[in-house]
Amino acid sequence: MNAVVDLPAQSKLPRVKTTIFAVMSALANHHGALNLSQGFPDFSCPQPLMDAATRAMQAGHNQYAPMTGIPALREQIAAKVQALYGATVDADSDITVTSGAIEALFVAIQASVRPGDEVIVFDPAYDSYEPAVELAGGRCVHLSLNAPDYRIDFNQLESAINPRTRLIILNSPHNPSGAVFSAEDLDRLESLLADSPVLLLGDEVYEHIVFDGQHHQSLLRRPALAERSFVVSSFGKTYHTTGWKVGYCIAPAGLSAEFRKVHQYVTFSVPTPFQHAIAHFMANSDFHRELPAFYQAKRDRFRAALDGSRWQLLPCAGTYFQLLGYQAIDDRPDTEMAEWLTTEVGVAAIPVSVFNADGRDERILRFCFAKGNDTLDQAAAKIASL
Ligand code: PMP
Ligand code: GLN
């Protein structure tokens, strides 16, 4: 090949491979394994939501939506965050509907990170953050969250912040660990950032999946944090519609204006009928309030089936992921263990080391329990005897 057009050799993302979610789902499908790897429900979304989408198409909502999202949906989002987090956000200037959370994360990073900027991320970190930072010309500074409770070490965070720090990416409830922020975490963050120009990007896609009577600690609860934050969420997780790819970003008007400069050239707008359907559903249901009990029952069922096995059950306070340590079962690296489980045992999972920039491998796998009870029981039965 002509060297001038040898793009792989000139890659802007030389270390990036196909995302583990695509790799493991493909492997699971190829081997007919129960797929507890990529995070998506294997059950249907609510019938009234599907009906609303069909009605929206039939009513002619099939052309471009407004670039920022349809007003009815933005108004529902504003009402929701007011009711849940006491946050007053302007539906017109502060909310942008995006193609899933992943677009919102990418756009917030492109809109805020400049060449040479540092962005603090906590490993294990969701895999889309670092490539987006690198494309913006920034550099990730990786801090660790440690098993079993994966809490932020605020002293470590304080020493990592310096004049080059532009953005801190926070994810609660946390994928893959299932850890959630406490109110004290927000207190620490507030005092740490009191006089600092640092921006925050809050990945809160599992905001409605928090267990054991706890409440989601959104950055939106604290005006002093919200004024410097892009807060991102996703209807995929809340309404069992990961394939619809509808999410949003809430940020103060000045930050949202910059966000929209990028969003308009990434996707411009998000499928119109889905926006109408979600706006209608939000206005007519309290579905999100039922989610914690629904997923907590699945978490408990999956954990109970593995109780007494050689798997180490790590705590799970939120999300639909359960971490399982296999130090007592096998010593192979987690990527090999995940592949072996998929191909030989028939259960696919995600190796956690891929979320660690330094490849740290604590022999822990992530299992998604957003699955029908039969699937969960079968998967647990297959792995419990190892
Ligand atoms: N952030 C986290 C932590 C996630 O787990 C996911 C997806 N599961 C996303 C972002 C992306 O969400 P979406 O599917 O809405 O793009
Ligand atoms: N967020 C999902 C997970 O953690 C995957 C999303 C994707 O495949 N892009 O499994």
Side-chain angles (χ1 to χ4, degrees):
M1 193 191 276
N2 181 339
V4 177
V5 291
D6 187 0
L7 190 53
Q10 302 158 354
S11 175
K12 295 180 73 176
L13 296 170
R15 289 174 296 119
V16 170
K17 306 193 193 94
T18 300
T19 173
I20 190 72
F21 307 119
V23 171
M24 291 312 301
S25 272
L27 194 68
N29 291 339
H30 185 73
H31 291 273
L34 300 169
N35 189 2
L36 274 59
S37 63
Q38 192 179 23
F40 63 90
D42 71 350
F43 34 83
S44 174
C45 66
Q47 187 64 44
L49 182 57
M50 282 192 274
D51 293 343
T54 310
R55 276 201 311 276
M57 285 180 216
Q58 282 164 349
H61 294 300
N62 299 305
Q63 309 311 326
Y64 293 127
M67 182 270 277
T68 59
I70 66 165
L73 181 55
R74 286 186 278 107
E75 280 154 22
Q76 285 300 324
I77 297 167
K80 182 190 81 170
V81 299
Q82 177 71 253
L84 292 182
Y85 310 130
T88 302
V89 304
D90 186 307
D92 284 333
S93 59
D94 303 358
I95 300 176
T96 310
V97 178
T98 59
S99 183
I102 210 161
E103 193 226 338
L105 294 165
F106 184 81
V107 168
I109 290 167
Q110 301 316 311
S112 59
V113 176
R114 303 155 302 186
D117 281 346
E118 290 184 4
V119 177
I120 297 178
V121 298
F122 294 90
D123 287 1
Y126 189 62
D127 69 346
S128 81
Y129 306 154
E130 183 152 36
V133 170
E134 289 184 352
L135 286 175
R139 187 174 78 80
C140 280
V141 173
H142 294 268
L143 304 183
S144 311
L145 305 172
N146 294 312
D149 55 3
Y150 295 89
R151 305 227 67 83
I152 289 180
D153 177 339
F154 283 94
N155 295 327
Q156 199 184 45
L157 175 59
E158 185 168 15
S159 6
I161 296 175
N162 68 65
R164 288 182 303 279
T165 309
R166 175 66 158 172
L167 182 70
I168 303 172
I169 305 183
L170 299 160
N171 172 212
S172 177
H174 182 252
N175 180 4
S177 75
V180 301
F181 283 172
S182 63
E184 293 71 43
D185 289 328
L186 294 189
D187 293 343
R188 291 293 303 271
L189 206 53
E190 255 191 90
S191 58
L192 190 62
L193 299 178
D195 300 310
S196 144
V198 171
L199 298 169
L200 299 176
L201 173 52
D203 181 346
E204 303 188 0
V205 300
Y206 301 100
E207 63 179 319
H208 302 300
I209 312 180
V210 175
F211 307 133
D212 305 315
Q214 292 203 67
H215 297 291
H216 172 55
Q217 296 299 329
S218 174
L219 299 177
L220 293 169
R221 286 180 186 268
R222 306 294 178 97
L225 297 176
E227 69 179 14
R228 60 174 77 238
S229 296
F230 299 93
V231 174
V232 167
S233 192
S234 168
F235 294 107
K237 312 294 165 187
T238 307
Y239 294 149
H240 313 325
T241 51
T242 60
W244 288 16
K245 295 297 301 185
V246 186
Y248 59 88
C249 174
I250 299 179
L255 296 185
S256 283
E258 293 304 308
F259 181 96
R260 290 168 175 185
K261 287 183 189 173
V262 182
H263 162 73
Q264 65 183 341
Y265 296 130
V266 175
T267 54
F268 180 74
S269 67
V270 175
T272 317
F274 295 144
Q275 293 196 55
H276 281 279
I278 294 170
H280 177 81
F281 190 69
M282 287 179 87
N284 292 286
S285 99
D286 261 346
F287 190 82
H288 64 274
R289 295 194 189 274
E290 297 158 22
L291 270 198
F294 174 78
Y295 278 124
Q296 188 169 322
K298 292 195 178 293
R299 177 200 67 173
D300 293 347
R301 185 181 187 104
F302 189 58
R303 289 175 69 97
L306 292 167
D307 201 26
S309 74
R310 293 199 293 164
W311 292 90
Q312 181 201 0
L313 288 152
L314 283 95
C316 169
T319 76
Y320 45 49
F321 302 116
Q322 173 65 52
L323 293 187
L324 296 177
Y326 62 89
Q327 294 89 336
I329 298 173
D330 204 298
D331 190 38
R332 72 184 97 193
D334 65 357
T335 45
E336 284 176 30
M337 186 69 176
E339 188 174 330
W340 176 78
L341 264 192
T342 308
T343 58
E344 303 301 323
V345 181
V347 181
I350 297 287
V352 169
S353 69
V354 300
F355 303 122
N356 292 327
D358 62 3
R360 186 162 55 115
D361 177 356
E362 296 177 296
R363 309 298 196 254
I364 296 174
L365 300 177
R366 188 199 80 175
F367 293 79
C368 172
F369 55 80
K371 306 293 164 190
N373 289 342
D374 285 352
T375 305
L376 287 180
D377 293 349
Q378 282 172 38
K382 280 176 187 282
I383 65 170
S385 55
L386 294 175

